[in-house]
Amino acid sequence: MTIEEVKEWLNRPSKIKLKLRYLNIELDRYESQIYSCSHQVFDVERVDGSRNTETPNQRALEKYYEVKDIIKSQEVQLENVINEIETEGNKLLKDEHKIVLKLRYIDGLTFPEIANKVFLAESTVKRIHRESLIGFVELKKT
């Protein structure tokens, strides 16, 4: 495994979190559609001869529960991915490597934010990060 592949593997939680953020926005949109009142339009001639008995609120309610189920499955997947990363990260020798990787990839912090949090220089955090990635490459080789 290369360093780029390790980064991709470690970035999975952030991708799932981003997907969850968009799904929650979609869920809010459907929720607002559920509670909105639709109105009848009388000044336009109806072209469609078939009568749809399902209201927009009902369709939104169905979509709402579909998205809610997807969110639940994504949350389970996120938890599994985080556990997998933490398990692999615990195989690293130094605690500072584990902490930097956790803050970077699971908590999604930037290098300056990590440096402030662990009271180290940003260059030191970047060096530890690089060493951690190399350590992961070595772990994956064995």
Side-chain angles (χ1 to χ4, degrees):
M1 203 175 227
T2 65
I3 289 181
E4 292 305 315
E5 291 171 333
V6 169
K7 283 183 182 179
E8 186 70 27
W9 186 79
L10 291 170
N11 272 322
R12 293 178 301 160
S14 62
K15 290 180 180 179
I16 295 171
K17 287 177 184 177
L18 181 64
K19 188 173 185 177
L20 280 169
R21 190 175 310 135
Y22 286 121
L23 285 170
N24 280 313
I25 291 170
E26 191 174 349
L27 192 69
D28 290 342
R29 186 172 55 89
Y30 286 129
E31 186 174 13
S32 68
Q33 288 177 359
I34 290 168
Y35 295 113
S36 68
C37 294
S38 59
H39 61 282
Q40 192 73 21
V41 178
F42 294 107
D43 59 346
V44 177
E45 187 175 332
R46 190 178 171 124
V47 178
D48 186 14
S50 66
R51 183 174 174 110
N52 188 355
T53 58
E54 193 175 71
T55 66
N57 305 65
Q58 289 171 320
R59 289 190 296 271
L61 187 62
E62 290 170 4
K63 288 289 194 180
Y64 176 85
Y65 284 112
E66 286 176 19
V67 171
K68 203 159 181 72
D69 290 341
I70 293 171
I71 288 173
K72 285 180 186 175
S73 68
Q74 288 295 313
E75 287 172 343
V76 168
Q77 183 181 358
L78 177 63
E79 187 177 320
N80 291 339
V81 166
I82 288 173
N83 288 337
E84 183 182 352
I85 289 173
E86 286 178 343
T87 301
E88 289 296 317
N90 287 335
K91 295 178 183 175
L92 293 173
L93 298 175
K94 296 183 179 178
D95 284 339
E96 60 187 11
H97 292 163
K98 297 174 196 176
I99 292 169
V100 167
L101 286 179
K102 181 188 178 303
L103 292 173
R104 177 75 175 155
Y105 294 104
I106 294 176
D107 296 342
L109 299 180
T110 63
F111 289 121
E113 291 170 334
I114 295 170
N116 286 336
K117 196 162 194 107
V118 295
F119 305 107
L120 293 173
E122 187 177 339
S123 59
T124 305
V125 170
K126 287 181 180 180
R127 179 185 51 78
I128 293 169
H129 177 257
R130 189 172 44 255
E131 290 171 359
S132 303
L133 294 177
I134 292 169
F136 254 109
V137 170
E138 295 301 318
L139 278 175
K140 294 295 182 180
K141 284 182 181 177
T142 57

